[in-house]
Amino acid sequence: MYIFITTGTYNFMKTLQEKHASEKIILMENAEGATLLHETNNKKSIFQSPRKYEVIDTSGELADHGFVVCNNIPVTDEGRPIFEYRFKGRARAIENTPGFIAIRVLRPLNSDTYVILTQWQDRESFTNWKDSKEFKQAHETKKPEAGVNQQPHIFSSPSYVTTYVVPSEND
């Protein structure tokens, strides 16, 4: 599965979403503008110049409502296998959290930045997850496995978070 992401004005993104109504496209917005997320099994995007990702872990179905959090994590080329190995061993506690809708772990195809995308019923559900003991357990530093932490720099720069609201038709 692949995800393609593009940005623009709300009206243009809405028109593009409507033009491709048969596709799984989520319209999201934040203070910077509008973003379209296209989830598909095709390797080719309908967008002209999208950010491209391969989905390497998934749970739940993306919805046309809610609050989306993208944890953007720049990883060096050498660090990719280590990062993915660590992520494949995640606790999966998030899936049982009230208000959770979906998660996608996205491997970048045209950049160095992985995206951990989670979708929630609302901002409060995400905040409750962040404040939970399950979150703290999922994000605690684990005892290093032999050889895993021998790679000195797997992150190419600091991670950052972007958030979006999926507007309802009534907004």
Side-chain angles (χ1 to χ4, degrees), residues 9-27:
T9 65
Y10 182 86
N11 289 339
F12 182 72
M13 296 292 103
K14 182 74 174 161
T15 301
L16 197 53
Q17 181 189 37
E18 290 168 353
K19 179 180 175 183
H20 299 282
S22 64
E23 297 288 332
K24 179 70 172 187
I25 299 177
I26 308 294
L27 175 63

Side-chain angles (χ1 to χ4, degrees), residues 51-63:
R51 293 186 305 268
K52 303 174 184 180
Y53 302 92
E54 183 176 2
V55 178
I56 59 172
D57 190 13
T58 180
S59 181
E61 292 297 319
L62 295 174

Side-chain angles (χ1 to χ4, degrees), residues 97-112:
T97 303
F100 170 82
I101 296 174
I103 185 171
R104 300 291 184 272
V105 179
L106 308 178
R107 175 191 294 140
L109 298 178
N110 58 356
S111 77
D112 70 345

Side-chain angles (χ1 to χ4, degrees), residues 34-104:
T35 298
L36 282 181
L37 181 149
H38 179 211
E39 185 174 57
T40 180
N41 288 319
N42 295 323
K43 289 185 178 181
K44 190 168 174 9
S45 176
I46 58 173
F47 304 144
Q48 287 189 6
S49 55
R51 293 186 305 268
K52 303 174 184 180
Y53 302 92
E54 183 176 2
V55 178
I56 59 172
D57 190 13
T58 180
S59 181
E61 292 297 319
L62 295 174
D64 60 359
H65 65 277
F67 182 69
V68 175
V69 179
C70 295
N71 190 1
N72 303 273
I73 307 170
V75 177
T76 64
D77 285 342
E78 299 81 19
R80 285 175 168 236
I82 296 165
F83 179 81
E84 290 183 23
Y85 174 81
R86 287 179 179 173
F87 217 89
K88 286 178 182 168
R90 69 184 179 89
R92 301 196 177 274
I94 194 170
E95 285 90 335
N96 300 316
T97 303
F100 170 82
I101 296 174
I103 185 171
R104 300 291 184 272

